[in-house]
Amino acid sequence: MASIARQSSPLLRSAFRAPFATKNVAQVVAFHASARKQILPPLPQTIQGTMNDPAPIPKSHPTEGSYHWTFERLVSASLVPLCIAPFAAGSMSPVMDAVICSAIVVHSHIGFHASITDYFPTRRVPKTHTFMIWLLRAFTLSTAVGLYEFETNDVGVTEALRRVWNA
């Protein structure tokens, strides 16, 4: 484009230069050159051992690993038929509601626990990790109590969904 502007008339050259005028460029550069403000400073980076040491293998735990993964998948897969069965069968049973609510609470707890483990690792932020785990436990307990109260003192989850669907 610049070679075309040099060979063409002065009017065309000024049209090519207009978007890149000195005043506009100075404003854009000043905006981009402003200080970068981070929300939180990066955590200290440490290396245990030497650079050539292999990565440490964590100790095995019975509630983690393949059993934990299998349990997560079973709970997740069980939610599909559990959520369809009451509406397909046409029966709104308190036992079915209790099973659905229990599976939802367990599924949610496992998912949020995995998120906390990923985003707040113990080795980097141990106090925050502990606080978040206790906060998760409190929310899980309050959710379970709330769903229990809804099941025993109100119409229940499946009946409430049926009513909303037919409204």
mmCIF file of all heavy atoms in Angstrom, residues 71-94:
data_model
loop_
_atom_site.group_PDB
_atom_site.id
_atom_site.type_symbol
_atom_site.label_atom_id
_atom_site.label_comp_id
_atom_site.label_asym_id
_atom_site.label_seq_id
_atom_site.Cartn_x
_atom_site.Cartn_y
_atom_site.Cartn_z
ATOM 1 N N PHE A 71 -15.722 -44.420 40.700
ATOM 2 C CA PHE A 71 -16.870 -43.952 41.478
ATOM 3 C C PHE A 71 -17.447 -42.668 40.873
ATOM 4 O O PHE A 71 -18.671 -42.525 40.760
ATOM 5 C CB PHE A 71 -16.454 -43.720 42.935
ATOM 6 C CG PHE A 71 -17.576 -43.225 43.799
ATOM 7 C CD1 PHE A 71 -18.628 -44.065 44.135
ATOM 8 C CD2 PHE A 71 -17.591 -41.920 44.252
ATOM 9 C CE1 PHE A 71 -19.667 -43.610 44.932
ATOM 10 C CE2 PHE A 71 -18.622 -41.449 45.044
ATOM 11 C CZ PHE A 71 -19.666 -42.298 45.386
ATOM 12 N N GLU A 72 -16.581 -41.737 40.474
ATOM 13 C CA GLU A 72 -17.046 -40.502 39.833
ATOM 14 C C GLU A 72 -17.861 -40.813 38.580
ATOM 15 O O GLU A 72 -18.924 -40.216 38.354
ATOM 16 C CB GLU A 72 -15.863 -39.623 39.427
ATOM 17 C CG GLU A 72 -15.208 -38.886 40.535
ATOM 18 C CD GLU A 72 -14.036 -38.064 40.042
ATOM 19 O OE1 GLU A 72 -13.713 -38.106 38.826
ATOM 20 O OE2 GLU A 72 -13.434 -37.372 40.862
ATOM 21 N N ARG A 73 -17.373 -41.716 37.759
ATOM 22 C CA ARG A 73 -18.062 -42.040 36.508
ATOM 23 C C ARG A 73 -19.388 -42.758 36.775
ATOM 24 O O ARG A 73 -20.367 -42.546 36.066
ATOM 25 C CB ARG A 73 -17.176 -42.896 35.598
ATOM 26 C CG ARG A 73 -15.913 -42.213 35.106
ATOM 27 C CD ARG A 73 -16.199 -40.816 34.568
ATOM 28 N NE ARG A 73 -15.047 -40.009 34.324
ATOM 29 C CZ ARG A 73 -14.475 -39.177 35.194
ATOM 30 N NH1 ARG A 73 -14.929 -39.071 36.409
ATOM 31 N NH2 ARG A 73 -13.446 -38.449 34.853
ATOM 32 N N LEU A 74 -19.428 -43.612 37.777
ATOM 33 C CA LEU A 74 -20.676 -44.297 38.108
ATOM 34 C C LEU A 74 -21.738 -43.308 38.596
ATOM 35 O O LEU A 74 -22.909 -43.400 38.201
ATOM 36 C CB LEU A 74 -20.437 -45.365 39.176
ATOM 37 C CG LEU A 74 -19.740 -46.639 38.714
ATOM 38 C CD1 LEU A 74 -19.408 -47.541 39.907
ATOM 39 C CD2 LEU A 74 -20.608 -47.384 37.720
ATOM 40 N N VAL A 75 -21.334 -42.364 39.440
ATOM 41 C CA VAL A 75 -22.287 -41.359 39.919
ATOM 42 C C VAL A 75 -22.776 -40.506 38.749
ATOM 43 O O VAL A 75 -23.976 -40.241 38.616
ATOM 44 C CB VAL A 75 -21.651 -40.482 41.021
ATOM 45 C CG1 VAL A 75 -22.518 -39.291 41.341
ATOM 46 C CG2 VAL A 75 -21.401 -41.298 42.269
ATOM 47 N N SER A 76 -21.863 -40.080 37.890
ATOM 48 C CA SER A 76 -22.244 -39.251 36.738
ATOM 49 C C SER A 76 -23.171 -40.002 35.789
ATOM 50 O O SER A 76 -24.172 -39.456 35.324
ATOM 51 C CB SER A 76 -20.997 -38.800 35.976
ATOM 52 O OG SER A 76 -20.163 -38.031 36.799
ATOM 53 N N ALA A 77 -22.834 -41.253 35.500
ATOM 54 C CA ALA A 77 -23.667 -42.038 34.586
ATOM 55 C C ALA A 77 -25.019 -42.376 35.200
ATOM 56 O O ALA A 77 -26.024 -42.479 34.493
ATOM 57 C CB ALA A 77 -22.933 -43.322 34.192
ATOM 58 N N SER A 78 -25.068 -42.527 36.516
ATOM 59 C CA SER A 78 -26.347 -42.868 37.153
ATOM 60 C C SER A 78 -27.320 -41.694 37.153
ATOM 61 O O SER A 78 -28.534 -41.896 37.265
ATOM 62 C CB SER A 78 -26.114 -43.345 38.579
ATOM 63 O OG SER A 78 -25.717 -42.267 39.402
ATOM 64 N N LEU A 79 -26.823 -40.482 37.024
ATOM 65 C CA LEU A 79 -27.711 -39.324 37.030
ATOM 66 C C LEU A 79 -28.641 -39.290 35.814
ATOM 67 O O LEU A 79 -29.764 -38.803 35.915
ATOM 68 C CB LEU A 79 -26.900 -38.027 37.097
ATOM 69 C CG LEU A 79 -26.393 -37.668 38.484
ATOM 70 C CD1 LEU A 79 -25.452 -36.481 38.406
ATOM 71 C CD2 LEU A 79 -27.536 -37.374 39.413
ATOM 72 N N VAL A 80 -28.198 -39.814 34.694
ATOM 73 C CA VAL A 80 -29.031 -39.781 33.486
ATOM 74 C C VAL A 80 -30.310 -40.602 33.665
ATOM 75 O O VAL A 80 -31.416 -40.065 33.538
ATOM 76 C CB VAL A 80 -28.228 -40.239 32.243
ATOM 77 C CG1 VAL A 80 -29.119 -40.321 31.028
ATOM 78 C CG2 VAL A 80 -27.065 -39.304 31.996
ATOM 79 N N PRO A 81 -30.227 -41.895 33.992
ATOM 80 C CA PRO A 81 -31.485 -42.634 34.174
ATOM 81 C C PRO A 81 -32.266 -42.173 35.409
ATOM 82 O O PRO A 81 -33.500 -42.223 35.402
ATOM 83 C CB PRO A 81 -31.054 -44.091 34.311
ATOM 84 C CG PRO A 81 -29.619 -44.058 34.645
ATOM 85 C CD PRO A 81 -29.066 -42.784 34.090
ATOM 86 N N LEU A 82 -31.556 -41.721 36.450
ATOM 87 C CA LEU A 82 -32.263 -41.275 37.653
ATOM 88 C C LEU A 82 -33.123 -40.037 37.373
ATOM 89 O O LEU A 82 -34.197 -39.882 37.951
ATOM 90 C CB LEU A 82 -31.275 -40.959 38.775
ATOM 91 C CG LEU A 82 -30.718 -42.133 39.549
ATOM 92 C CD1 LEU A 82 -29.678 -41.664 40.544
ATOM 93 C CD2 LEU A 82 -31.822 -42.889 40.258
ATOM 94 N N CYS A 83 -32.647 -39.162 36.514
ATOM 95 C CA CYS A 83 -33.414 -37.948 36.218
ATOM 96 C C CYS A 83 -34.538 -38.203 35.212
ATOM 97 O O CYS A 83 -35.505 -37.453 35.169
ATOM 98 C CB CYS A 83 -32.477 -36.862 35.701
ATOM 99 S SG CYS A 83 -31.376 -36.247 36.987
ATOM 100 N N ILE A 84 -34.422 -39.247 34.415
ATOM 101 C CA ILE A 84 -35.452 -39.549 33.416
ATOM 102 C C ILE A 84 -36.537 -40.473 33.981
ATOM 103 O O ILE A 84 -37.717 -40.336 33.655
ATOM 104 C CB ILE A 84 -34.806 -40.173 32.164
ATOM 105 C CG1 ILE A 84 -33.900 -39.146 31.478
ATOM 106 C CG2 ILE A 84 -35.849 -40.681 31.198
ATOM 107 C CD1 ILE A 84 -33.077 -39.718 30.358
ATOM 108 N N ALA A 85 -36.148 -41.409 34.846
ATOM 109 C CA ALA A 85 -37.056 -42.453 35.331
ATOM 110 C C ALA A 85 -38.350 -41.940 35.961
ATOM 111 O O ALA A 85 -39.421 -42.445 35.631
ATOM 112 C CB ALA A 85 -36.315 -43.368 36.299
ATOM 113 N N PRO A 86 -38.342 -40.953 36.861
ATOM 114 C CA PRO A 86 -39.605 -40.553 37.477
ATOM 115 C C PRO A 86 -40.607 -39.997 36.472
ATOM 116 O O PRO A 86 -41.815 -40.209 36.606
ATOM 117 C CB PRO A 86 -39.208 -39.476 38.476
ATOM 118 C CG PRO A 86 -37.760 -39.530 38.619
ATOM 119 C CD PRO A 86 -37.215 -40.238 37.442
ATOM 120 N N PHE A 87 -40.119 -39.313 35.456
ATOM 121 C CA PHE A 87 -41.026 -38.712 34.483
ATOM 122 C C PHE A 87 -41.489 -39.743 33.455
ATOM 123 O O PHE A 87 -42.616 -39.695 32.986
ATOM 124 C CB PHE A 87 -40.353 -37.517 33.821
ATOM 125 C CG PHE A 87 -39.903 -36.495 34.820
ATOM 126 C CD1 PHE A 87 -38.559 -36.344 35.116
ATOM 127 C CD2 PHE A 87 -40.822 -35.698 35.480
ATOM 128 C CE1 PHE A 87 -38.144 -35.413 36.053
ATOM 129 C CE2 PHE A 87 -40.416 -34.766 36.420
ATOM 130 C CZ PHE A 87 -39.073 -34.621 36.705
ATOM 131 N N ALA A 88 -40.614 -40.683 33.112
ATOM 132 C CA ALA A 88 -40.988 -41.732 32.160
ATOM 133 C C ALA A 88 -41.973 -42.714 32.795
ATOM 134 O O ALA A 88 -42.934 -43.148 32.152
ATOM 135 C CB ALA A 88 -39.743 -42.470 31.685
ATOM 136 N N ALA A 89 -41.750 -43.058 34.054
ATOM 137 C CA ALA A 89 -42.627 -44.016 34.743
ATOM 138 C C ALA A 89 -43.906 -43.350 35.228
ATOM 139 O O ALA A 89 -44.908 -44.028 35.449
ATOM 140 C CB ALA A 89 -41.890 -44.641 35.917
ATOM 141 N N GLY A 90 -43.868 -42.042 35.430
ATOM 142 C CA GLY A 90 -45.055 -41.335 35.886
ATOM 143 C C GLY A 90 -45.265 -41.409 37.383
ATOM 144 O O GLY A 90 -46.286 -40.969 37.881
ATOM 145 N N SER A 91 -44.320 -41.954 38.114
ATOM 146 C CA SER A 91 -44.484 -42.038 39.569
ATOM 147 C C SER A 91 -43.532 -41.054 40.238
ATOM 148 O O SER A 91 -42.357 -40.978 39.901
ATOM 149 C CB SER A 91 -44.193 -43.447 40.060
ATOM 150 O OG SER A 91 -42.847 -43.765 39.843
ATOM 151 N N MET A 92 -44.068 -40.304 41.183
ATOM 152 C CA MET A 92 -43.267 -39.367 41.944
ATOM 153 C C MET A 92 -43.089 -39.942 43.345
ATOM 154 O O MET A 92 -43.947 -39.804 44.201
ATOM 155 C CB MET A 92 -43.945 -37.995 42.014
ATOM 156 C CG MET A 92 -44.281 -37.398 40.669
ATOM 157 S SD MET A 92 -42.798 -37.130 39.699
ATOM 158 C CE MET A 92 -43.536 -36.739 38.128
ATOM 159 N N SER A 93 -42.001 -40.634 43.570
ATOM 160 C CA SER A 93 -41.761 -41.336 44.825
ATOM 161 C C SER A 93 -40.770 -40.564 45.687
ATOM 162 O O SER A 93 -39.766 -40.060 45.174
ATOM 163 C CB SER A 93 -41.202 -42.721 44.521
ATOM 164 O OG SER A 93 -40.655 -43.298 45.663
ATOM 165 N N PRO A 94 -41.007 -40.473 46.991
ATOM 166 C CA PRO A 94 -40.047 -39.818 47.873
ATOM 167 C C PRO A 94 -38.700 -40.548 47.920
ATOM 168 O O PRO A 94 -37.668 -39.917 48.086
ATOM 169 C CB PRO A 94 -40.705 -39.829 49.250
ATOM 170 C CG PRO A 94 -42.111 -40.219 49.053
ATOM 171 C CD PRO A 94 -42.232 -40.838 47.710
#
